[in-house]
Amino acid sequence: MLGRILHLLIKEFLQLRRDKSARFRLLIPPIVQMVLFGYAATFEVFNVSTVILDQDRSQESRALEDAFLRSSRFALAAPARRVADVRDAVEASDAQLGIVIPAGFAELLRKGQTAPLQVLVDGTNSNSALIALGYVGQIAGDFGQTYAQNLAERTGRLQGKPIVSVEVAERYWYNPNLNSRWFFVPGVIGTLTLITIVNLTAFAIVREREVGTLEQILVTPIRPFEFIIGKTLPFFLIGLLEVSIVAGVGMAWFRVPFRGNPLVLLLGTCLFLFATLAIGLLISTICRTQQQAFSSNFFVLNPMFILSGFSFPIASMPPVLQWLTYVDPLRYYLVIIRATFLKGVGLEALWPQMLALAAIAAVLLAAAVLRFRKSLD
Amino acid sequence: MNPPDAALATTSAAPAIAVDGLTKRFGAFTALDGVSFAAGQGEIMGFLGPNGAGKSTLIRILCGLLHPSAGQARVAGIDVARQPEAVRARIGYMSQKFSLYGDLSVVENLRFFAGIYSVPRAEMAGRIAYAVAMAGLGGQENTLVANLAGGWKQRLALGAAILHRPPVLFLDEPTSGVDPESRRRFWELIHTLSGDGVTVLVSTHYMDEAEYCHRIALIARGRLIALGTPLEIKRHSLDGELLALACADLGRALPLVQGAAGVRDAALFGSRIHVTVDEAARRGPELEALLAARGIAGATARPIAPTMEDSFVSLVGKAALNAATSANAAGARP
Ligand SMILES: Nc1ncnc2c1ncn2[C@@H]1O[C@H](COP(=O)(O)OP(=O)(O)OP(=O)(O)O)[C@@H](O)[C@H]1O
Ligand SMILES: [Mg+2]
């Protein structure tokens, strides 16, 4: 049994070694995409749905509110009378951002002290909310600086420096600089791995089916699970290599910190790779030609990408789609990879994601082994 | 060649291949319709039939690659549908498509297939060397298979199919698209294997190759329409004697000949008409006279021995007639 798997492995690596373009295909596109994605990640956003509650009702507070709205970064989503209204709006995802100007705001400024501004952010992994949060800080900072200058000119005294501080109530404490690249780069690792591994696995088997070598293998006494292990182990190793390389580029190039335990990330990556290998296998059991595999991959990978929460916040999806995200392995892997990179948390926090990934991988692998029949009909 | 592994060989009492009422349907289409036959140990059995006849379907069922819709097949004494894995250890298979890895070298391919057939490590080198020698590829061990010429590729594929010394071998059109010299060498290999006791079931649509088989089965539209030695098939397929008729206007002559007295069948064969008649000595001159009377010049008829192709055309024609009355293919057995 081990002998058969070993011979299949030798064959796969010999073919891979001989396929010069494969080495290029495996390494260069992910790195290029990583860099492109990394730079494209500094999106600009406009009209972020926002709720503003002015509890101070002063001239200053109205001026600040005006500055927010004039920037065209924010669009008023709903009126708010109480802090609870703001909280509700953000929690229900009616607004991505809630800004509360507390009572006493103007008084503090006039005294030349720091005036707090409370901000609530949609607590999901939404990139646009993060960027919008950056704008809040920027606009509030500008406002504070202008105000300080005016104050100095009017009163002639320079004691104290009034500034507007932004307090984020629900805060992305693991990315305090609101560096959206940090947020994006780990996501790109997961997404690229998914695409590469599903494609490699599906095509590797479908190609053998198309060329006719699969038929020759099917008449040998090899067992389905031996074939599957021999055929997927190389891609598993390639997947690990690819995650390391892409993560290395992200850390070296974009200076994304790695705060967590590499072993936790390794565990999550292994589970995620099992799930993606199984998806590739399932596609390969359904498709007869590489053309079919190509379109199937497209139809499987795109929804997985969209449902993962990578670029669209899960909380603002319709409930049906939200349910679907629970079967998307990328959803869990993104959490694991971001948490290990940025938060530095370990298994104590990530075990639900690990369990979910393990369950999905187990079900998909079982389905792939069962579906892989040693027959042509 | 060493004889096939004794442990895997069939007992001489049971036939190496026994097929009974084998039927395969793809949806509403019947690709194989109630085929029955048996082949003994060491026998070379040829499957002859036009494109789409069902040859590959039959071979794939016998290899356990397709599940029969009805009927039973036993290979090396084992039921193929029930124990496909046990059968797989005892058969070698060359599919119709060339199916070695073009991007691996000769030895890498052989090592791979020997490996997944679990050839004992101690015997690996010897068997690979034998397969290389058999294919005539000595000195080319490290050539990529994609760079080999067609005839060598096919012999290498045969070598790869017998690495585990199977007692039964299925070859699906192994010589299609190969030059005549390579075909001849390939058939010599088949006879060597047969001499060592390997049962070989080989499909082809080259009529001349049928003569190299011990027995042939004619198959058309999924039905077995004749089974026997090449000589038997040729003798029994024609009810009557055969005339080769040469004349000027073949197109006009054919319907005239078909309607003539004593003519059972007539068909174009290249630049001649082959006519099946009740009595060649008498009908030959009659036909020459008939055509001359109708203004067709240069008609000469001479008696000939039927070729496999004549038999085949005649049998396929009869089978098509019988299909209406749904005569069983087994009834055509000699
Ligand atoms: N998987 C399948 N699904 C549907 N029809 C099939 C399938 N495989 C074969 N057929 C049909 O069954 C018939 C017999 O095919 P088969 O390949 O057995 O013929 P063959 O005698 O090997 O022909 P050839 O000389 O072209 O190889 C053909 O009409 C073919 O189209
Ligand atoms: Mg065929």
Side-chain angles (χ1 to χ4, degrees):
Chain A
M1 177 206 122
L2 272 178
R4 283 197 286 254
I5 295 176
L6 187 69
H7 277 94
L8 202 52
L9 283 177
I10 293 172
K11 178 216 121 199
E12 293 296 327
F13 280 111
L14 279 174
Q15 288 185 302
L16 205 62
R17 205 185 65 190
R18 219 146 273 164
D19 185 356
K20 295 208 171 62
S21 74
R23 266 171 282 165
F24 176 83
R25 276 200 320 271
L26 289 179
L27 292 183
I28 305 302
I31 292 174
V32 169
Q33 287 179 59
M34 169 93 252
V35 172
L36 284 182
F37 258 123
Y39 280 114
T42 43
F43 287 142
E44 279 201 278
V45 293
F46 292 95
N47 298 323
V48 176
S49 57
T50 307
V51 180
I52 300 180
L53 174 64
D54 181 1
Q55 293 180 313
D56 195 42
R57 299 181 174 282
S58 60
Q59 196 196 327
E60 282 84 348
S61 68
R62 274 193 298 274
L64 179 60
E65 185 175 347
D66 217 38
F68 282 135
L69 295 180
R70 254 186 298 122
S71 72
S72 75
R73 300 294 185 187
F74 308 97
L76 274 187
R81 293 157 156 256
R82 294 168 297 127
V83 176
D85 295 343
V86 179
R87 195 171 297 278
D88 289 350
V90 173
E91 262 167 24
S93 295
D94 291 336
Q96 278 187 284
L97 212 62
I99 302 174
V100 178
I101 307 175
F105 178 78
E107 202 171 328
L108 285 170
L109 283 181
R110 282 175 207 148
K111 278 195 228 153
Q113 290 176 356
T114 299
L117 195 64
Q118 278 168 14
V119 179
L120 286 84
V121 187
D122 187 348
T124 57
N125 293 342
S126 157
N127 188 52
S128 55
L130 265 183
I131 295 168
L133 196 50
Y135 296 142
V136 173
Q138 209 179 330
I139 293 167
D142 287 350
F143 177 84
Q145 212 161 16
T146 318
Y147 190 87
Q149 264 172 16
N150 285 344
L151 194 67
E153 279 167 20
R154 264 191 289 135
T155 60
R157 59 188 168 128
L158 282 169
Q159 32 153 259
K161 255 214 180 125
I163 36 170
V164 181
S165 72
V166 178
E167 275 177 9
V168 182
E170 199 163 328
R171 162 185 266 286
Y172 283 88
W173 55 270
Y174 55 88
N175 192 356
N177 300 335
L178 300 178
N179 185 334
S180 57
R181 244 177 229 155
W182 285 14
F183 186 78
F184 244 76
V185 165
V188 173
I189 298 172
T191 312
L192 287 181
T193 310
L194 173 77
I195 294 170
T196 318
I197 298 305
V198 169
N199 276 330
L200 279 177
T201 316
F203 279 113
I205 296 176
V206 173
R207 198 180 307 121
E208 287 216 27
R209 193 193 299 282
E210 212 176 50
V211 173
T213 46
L214 187 64
E215 183 166 335
Q216 199 66 50
I217 290 183
L218 293 183
V219 295
T220 71
I222 198 165
R223 295 195 203 107
F225 81 91
E226 292 168 348
F227 178 79
I228 284 177
I229 292 175
K231 208 66 199 169
T232 54
L233 194 56
F235 300 124
F236 177 76
L237 298 178
I238 288 170
L240 285 182
L241 187 71
E242 184 146 323
V243 169
S244 323
I245 289 173
V246 176
V249 170
M251 288 161 68
W253 193 278
F254 295 113
R255 308 247 159 256
V256 180
F258 189 87
R259 302 197 172 111
N261 182 346
L263 289 179
V264 174
L265 180 59
L266 181 66
L267 174 67
T269 304
C270 289
L271 293 174
F272 179 64
L273 284 175
F274 290 149
T276 51
L277 288 169
I279 293 169
L281 280 171
L282 279 173
I283 291 175
S284 76
T285 61
I286 295 161
C287 299
R288 304 279 124 188
T289 63
Q290 296 188 58
Q291 186 59 40
Q292 286 173 6
F294 182 79
S295 36
S296 308
N297 288 357
F298 185 79
F299 281 115
V300 170
L301 291 178
N302 256 347
M304 285 180 69
F305 175 76
I306 290 167
L307 292 175
S308 69
F310 178 72
S311 50
F312 311 105
I314 291 173
S316 31
M317 294 176 189
V320 184
L321 290 189
Q322 288 197 29
W323 277 106
L324 273 179
T325 65
Y326 286 111
V327 295
D328 183 351
L330 185 57
R331 174 201 164 122
Y332 303 104
Y333 187 54
L334 286 185
V335 174
I336 292 171
I337 201 166
R338 279 175 184 157
T340 45
F341 262 89
L342 302 175
K343 289 190 197 178
V345 299
L347 277 180
E348 69 288 343
L350 290 174
W351 64 267
Q353 278 78 19
M354 296 283 185
L355 267 187
L357 267 187
I360 292 173
V363 169
L364 289 177
L365 275 175
V369 174
L370 288 178
R371 263 208 60 96
F372 184 82
R373 287 274 144 71
K374 282 188 69 185
S375 71
L376 299 170
D377 57 356
Chain B
M1 161 90 194
N2 302 306
D5 282 358
L8 294 181
T10 48
T11 59
S12 48
I17 304 169
V19 170
D20 187 21
L22 209 59
T23 299
K24 178 66 187 178
R25 281 181 285 270
F26 295 110
F29 176 74
T30 305
L32 214 55
D33 193 0
V35 170
S36 306
F37 68 92
Q41 196 194 330
E43 188 170 15
I44 300 173
M45 183 134 174
F47 270 75
L48 204 58
N51 288 343
K55 305 180 294 292
S56 297
T57 304
L58 173 69
I59 291 179
R60 283 175 169 159
I61 292 176
L62 295 179
C63 292
L65 287 171
L66 290 174
H67 206 82
S69 310
Q72 209 202 25
R74 299 179 83 84
V75 172
I78 302 159
D79 190 318
V80 173
R82 286 214 208 113
Q83 291 176 271
E85 287 308 323
V87 169
R88 283 187 182 115
R90 292 164 172 81
I91 60 166
Y93 171 55
M94 253 180 87
S95 72
Q96 188 168 352
K97 258 186 174 179
F98 177 72
S99 53
L100 298 184
Y101 294 94
D103 52 354
L104 296 185
S105 71
V106 169
V107 276
E108 284 164 353
N109 266 290
L110 292 173
R111 239 181 255 138
F112 170 65
F113 281 105
I116 53 175
Y117 271 112
S118 304
V119 168
R121 191 180 284 265
E123 292 176 37
M124 193 95 120
R127 295 208 201 170
I128 289 175
Y130 175 80
V132 169
M134 192 188 90
L137 284 168
Q140 302 231 59
E141 285 87 348
N142 296 317
T143 308
L144 289 192
V145 162
N147 300 333
L148 295 177
W152 272 275
K153 276 188 186 166
Q154 293 306 90
R155 285 200 294 274
L156 180 62
L158 179 62
I162 57 164
L163 282 166
H164 55 299
R165 295 199 188 142
V168 180
L169 201 51
F170 295 102
L171 310 176
D172 196 355
E173 298 198 17
T175 54
S176 67
V178 169
D179 63 272
E181 171 58 17
S182 295
R183 274 167 59 192
R184 196 188 52 73
R185 286 190 61 184
F186 197 93
W187 275 96
E188 278 172 12
L189 292 177
I190 294 179
H191 274 272
T192 310
L193 288 167
S194 156
D196 292 331
V198 178
T199 306
V200 184
L201 200 156
V202 54
S203 78
T204 179
H205 54 235
Y206 293 114
M207 297 290 167
D208 59 327
E209 290 191 341
E211 315 265 356
Y212 301 140
C213 302
H214 295 143
R215 275 199 303 159
I216 51 183
L218 294 189
I219 178 165
R221 294 169 186 231
R223 284 168 182 254
L224 189 68
I225 55 175
L227 182 73
T229 65
L231 204 64
E232 280 171 338
I233 297 256
K234 282 187 283 190
R235 242 185 234 146
H236 298 290
S237 63
L238 298 179
D239 40 356
E241 294 169 334
L242 198 64
L243 284 172
L245 182 76
C247 62
D249 191 348
L250 290 171
R252 203 156 65 82
L254 185 61
L256 291 173
V257 172
Q258 279 167 335
V263 171
R264 302 208 167 119
D265 192 19
L268 275 177
F269 257 82
S271 61
R272 292 182 157 59
I273 299 174
H274 283 193
V275 194
T276 313
V277 292
D278 48 2
E279 205 187 330
R282 186 176 142 208
R283 301 298 178 191
E286 275 182 23
L287 285 173
E288 287 171 1
L290 171 77
L291 293 178
R294 296 299 184 96
I296 296 173
T300 50
R302 57 185 175 81
I304 53 166
T307 64
M308 188 55 70
E309 203 160 352
D310 291 310
S311 310
F312 189 72
V313 169
S314 154
L315 287 165
V316 169
K318 269 189 234 162
L321 272 179
N322 289 355
T325 52
S326 78
N328 197 308
R333 280 203 213 185

